[in-house]
Amino acid sequence: MSATDIISMLALLLGGLTFFLFGMNVMSGGLEEMAGGGLERTLKKVGKNDVLGFTVGAGITVAIQSSSAMTVMLVGLVNSGILAFSDTFGMIMGSHVGTTLTAWILTLNANSGQSLVMVLLKPMTFAPILAFVGIAMRMLSKKTRKQKLGEIFIGFAILMTGMSFMSESMADIRQYSNVLAVFSKYPFVAFLISTVFTGVIQSSAATVAIVQALALSVGLDYKAVIPLVVGANIGTCMTALISSIGTNKSSKRVVAMHIYTNAIGGVVCMILMYIVMIFSPTAFDKSAGIIAVAVVHSLFNIINTIAFIPFKKPIIKLCEKTVSKSKDEEHTVFLDERIFQNTPLAISECKRLTNEMAELSRCAMDKALSIILSYDEAVAKEVDDCEKRVDKYEDRLGTYLVKLSGNQLSEKDSHGVARMLHGLGDFERISDHALNIVELSKEIKDKQIKFSPDANNEIKNITSALTDIIKMTFDSFVTDDAGLASHVEPLEQVIDELKDKLKNHHVDRLQKGECTTSLGFVFSDLLTNYERVSDHCSNLAVFTIQLNMTNLDAHNYLNGIKRMDNTEFANDFNMFKEKYGVKE
């Protein structure tokens, strides 16, 4: 074989490998998009049950055709606080078994004497037809699901074409069978080469596909196939290892488990193979075909999984010792970049975290209102802690949402992201006002301010109104209840009127000498904070109401409903006015 032939062969092999990896990426991406956030939400539900975890882990890996992608997904979910490290055992073992499907796909029609790979070498066969159907669906369909299905078809066709290129590149390698014989003579060398090669290309499926191409074009015995397949399983851990850079300790333990279960199983398999060869040197001399490679791949992962089931707790402890967790490590609860590209999941998790932020903001305000007339240092500290956590949510979640808004979003998703972005600011400002109220409460205590009975009753009355508007606003936001949110604006208008009336009453008391100036400043500041909190509640409610509308326009919406000829608004307004009204 000339140098030109060698270069041509390597170019075809690399080209085929590129097509194979790209096709797999396109296909798995389309499958993930079709599933939306359902894959990850399912993982969260089944994590506590190892049997369900194994089943779902295997099923999802079959769907996305990559155990590495599955592990990276788990790393991101654990790093985000969605999953606990200990809940990933069954899923990881399931992913090891699920990834073997690719090798079986490549053996289609092999039992008829002609593999699918060979069929693909002929013109006008399965892959080009599937690619044509896929591109037609991608370009002509207006529905997102059909477009994604088209991408899956395209990815599968590219994957199979890549496999045919790799097989073709091996056609002239028969004359170098003495080089390949090294694999049979020195299985450990084959094991190391496969491990390193898979680590470089980051795909065990691609390595196993190359082994199948060699078995089909050149012929390999089991002494070469077994170490090549086992090495591929260990080398694929490199993807997860890279993905763990910059993550917390819990997610690094997921990678450690992935590595340990593959590496320990692989080393034990190689040791057993050498032991058998000592007693029976010719035990693995039989030729292994393309189907045999798939069988070896499946058996190794299935047996490895079964063997590790009794050792779940020791493996978890080993991972915890390998990646020790410092006592003062703060748990990261924010979204991980690894799930950013899965738009439906990212939006779902952003909503979950926005709801968490809302509850923190609500908690801060409820606690602040509870001590307005009876300051408590411990409660004040809790409000301060909540406010600081809300600030972190606004900073990190806000940055993430801004990036997410650059993704291709449907109209509904776009509105949801815009609503969350608006909501972050309102929740943060409400927690700030909670801190202001606590400071006013402390001032009342430090200065030993005593409100008049009328002023006390007025504060309790408007506090009750504010408590109600906060409950309606936050409940409607968390549950996306537009009907409940529609009652917020009438109450906000009543609170505005209450504030004005209470200020007028306060001026009257000042003129009558029933109130001091210093007390008056505190009273006025308190009413101002209450009124501004109700304004933020109004903002949140409006965007909840408009979630399913075409355009988000709070100003025009409010102008439209604040007319007393609006029967629903007028009824609510009068009801709240009667409930919280203050006598002139």
Side-chain angles (χ1 to χ4, degrees):
M1 182 181 287
S2 65
T4 303
D5 292 335
I6 293 175
I7 293 173
S8 178
M9 180 191 72
L10 291 175
L12 192 59
L13 175 63
L14 291 175
L17 181 61
T18 301
F19 271 75
F20 185 92
L21 294 174
F22 179 70
M24 181 174 292
N25 181 267
V26 172
M27 184 172 65
S28 63
L31 284 162
E32 283 193 59
E33 285 291 326
M34 281 189 71
L39 298 182
E40 291 76 7
R41 287 192 292 273
T42 301
L43 291 176
K44 185 178 179 180
K45 291 178 182 178
V46 304
K48 299 293 182 183
N49 187 309
D50 286 337
V51 176
L52 286 177
F54 173 86
T55 304
V56 173
I60 292 177
T61 305
V62 165
I64 64 177
Q65 288 292 286
S66 174
S67 62
S68 295
M70 176 67 180
T71 306
V72 170
M73 187 189 302
L74 292 175
V75 169
L77 294 172
V78 171
N79 192 53
S80 299
I82 302 170
L83 279 178
F85 154 66
S86 58
D87 293 342
T88 62
F89 176 80
M91 302 175 203
I92 288 175
M93 303 313 295
S95 73
H96 293 171
V97 175
T99 193
T100 63
L101 178 69
T102 307
W104 285 103
I105 291 175
L106 300 177
T107 66
L108 295 176
N109 290 335
N111 58 348
S112 63
Q114 196 176 38
S115 72
L116 181 60
V117 172
M118 297 305 294
V119 174
L120 286 171
L121 294 177
K122 299 178 180 180
M124 296 301 292
T125 50
F126 182 66
I129 296 173
L130 193 63
F132 177 80
V133 173
I135 199 68
M137 293 178 68
R138 184 69 181 83
M139 295 179 66
L140 302 178
S141 178
K142 294 182 179 180
K143 293 185 178 180
T144 302
R145 287 188 67 83
K146 287 187 178 180
Q147 290 178 350
K148 294 304 175 183
L149 183 60
E151 287 183 12
I152 294 170
F153 288 167
I154 294 168
F156 185 76
I158 295 173
L159 179 150
M160 296 305 297
T161 303
M163 181 59 192
S164 71
F165 283 174
M166 288 190 288
S167 181
E168 185 178 342
S169 71
M170 302 296 173
D172 296 324
I173 205 171
R174 291 181 183 276
Q175 56 186 298
Y176 292 95
S177 57
N178 58 326
V179 176
L180 296 176
V182 173
F183 291 166
S184 299
K185 189 175 182 181
Y186 303 104
F188 190 69
V189 173
F191 171 76
L192 290 178
I193 290 175
S194 179
T195 300
V196 174
F197 180 76
T198 306
V200 171
I201 67 172
Q202 297 183 34
S203 174
S204 61
T207 301
V208 173
I210 292 175
V211 174
Q212 286 182 297
L214 284 169
L216 182 67
S217 302
V218 182
L220 296 173
D221 59 24
Y222 283 94
K223 277 194 288 189
V225 167
I226 293 174
L228 287 172
V229 170
V230 172
N233 278 272
I234 297 176
T236 194
C237 297
M238 180 60 68
T239 306
L241 188 62
I242 293 172
S243 78
S244 69
I245 297 173
T247 62
N248 61 27
K249 296 297 179 66
S250 292
S251 53
K252 284 182 170 66
R253 289 172 179 173
V254 176
V255 178
M257 183 184 292
H258 183 51
I259 293 173
Y260 279 137
T261 51
N262 272 311
I264 293 173
V267 170
V268 170
C269 181
M270 291 300 297
I271 291 173
L272 291 174
M273 179 179 173
Y274 272 98
I275 291 174
V276 172
M277 288 170 60
I278 290 173
F279 293 99
S280 179
T282 61
F284 300 105
D285 287 347
K286 185 179 178 181
S287 177
I290 185 172
I291 294 179
V293 175
V295 170
V296 169
H297 193 206
S298 295
L299 281 178
F300 169 75
N301 283 286
I302 292 171
I303 294 172
N304 194 43
T305 296
I306 295 172
F308 270 109
I309 290 175
F311 300 100
K312 175 186 175 181
K313 290 184 178 179
I315 283 292
I316 289 176
K317 288 182 179 179
L318 177 61
C319 294
E320 290 173 345
K321 286 184 177 180
T322 304
V323 186
S324 59
K325 196 170 185 178
S326 58
K327 292 182 180 179
D328 59 344
E329 181 182 354
E330 182 182 356
H331 180 59
T332 303
V333 296
F334 295 96
L335 281 164
D336 189 274
E337 293 293 334
R338 291 156 191 77
I339 53 179
F340 177 77
Q341 295 305 322
N342 189 330
T343 301
L345 169 66
I347 291 175
S348 172
E349 289 307 311
C350 281
K351 182 61 168 70
R352 180 182 69 83
L353 291 174
T354 303
N355 288 348
E356 285 184 10
M357 180 183 179
E359 292 302 333
L360 283 171
S361 181
R362 187 211 302 245
C363 180
M365 182 55 65
D366 286 346
K367 289 180 181 296
L369 294 177
S370 72
I371 62 169
I372 181 60
L373 296 176
S374 55
Y375 180 76
D376 185 301
E377 186 66 36
V379 176
K381 178 66 168 58
E382 291 176 7
V383 173
D384 184 60
D385 289 343
C386 286
E387 193 276 335
K388 287 177 179 176
R389 290 178 65 188
V390 168
D391 284 347
K392 286 185 178 180
Y393 272 79
E394 184 195 30
D395 179 33
R396 301 181 190 180
L397 188 53
T399 300
Y400 196 92
L401 281 167
V402 170
K403 291 181 180 178
L404 184 60
S405 63
N407 283 13
Q408 265 193 328
L409 303 176
S410 66
E411 185 177 288
K412 182 179 179 181
D413 287 342
S414 181
H415 283 204
V417 170
R419 175 188 175 223
M420 284 186 278
L421 279 169
H422 283 289
L424 297 184
D426 289 310
F427 292 135
E428 193 275 334
R429 291 300 298 140
I430 288 173
S431 68
D432 285 345
H433 287 299
L435 210 55
N436 293 343
I437 291 170
V438 167
E439 291 171 357
L440 289 171
S441 175
K442 188 174 188 302
E443 185 178 350
I444 291 171
K445 179 186 177 183
D446 292 344
K447 293 182 178 180
Q448 297 183 339
I449 293 173
K450 299 293 183 183
F451 290 106
S452 67
D454 284 344
N456 267 328
N457 289 333
E458 289 172 354
I459 290 173
K460 290 178 182 178
N461 188 54
I462 195 171
T463 299
S464 178
L466 191 68
T467 301
D468 278 359
I469 197 173
I470 288 170
K471 177 174 174 52
M472 280 196 297
T473 301
F474 284 67
D475 285 350
S476 64
F477 184 92
V478 170
T479 60
D480 298 330
D481 189 339
L484 180 60
S486 67
H487 301 298
V488 170
E489 187 58 31
L491 182 52
E492 191 274 336
Q493 293 295 301
V494 169
I495 290 175
D496 283 351
E497 285 199 6
L498 273 175
K499 181 203 71 171
D500 293 337
K501 288 181 179 180
L502 297 189
K503 281 193 173 182
N504 290 335
H505 292 175
H506 167 64
V507 172
D508 290 342
R509 286 191 291 269
L510 276 175
Q511 291 174 344
K512 294 176 182 178
E514 297 175 359
C515 179
T516 64
T517 305
S518 59
L519 186 151
F521 284 132
V522 172
F523 190 81
S524 178
D525 287 345
L526 185 63
L527 293 179
T528 299
N529 277 281
Y530 277 26
E531 189 260 341
R532 288 178 180 170
V533 169
S534 70
D535 287 342
H536 290 296
C537 287
S538 173
N539 294 340
L540 290 164
V542 168
F543 285 110
T544 296
I545 293 167
Q546 293 191 314
L547 183 60
N548 295 318
M549 295 183 181
T550 306
N551 296 309
L552 292 174
D553 191 337
H555 180 73
N556 287 336
Y557 173 79
L558 289 175
N559 285 339
I561 68 169
K562 287 181 183 177
R563 302 196 324 266
M564 294 312 291
D565 60 348
N566 183 323
T567 305
E568 185 178 349
F569 179 88
N571 289 340
D572 281 345
F573 179 82
N574 292 328
M575 184 267 291
F576 288 127
K577 188 174 181 180
E578 181 178 351
K579 182 178 180 180
Y580 300 109
V582 178
K583 294 180 180 180
E584 297 292 347

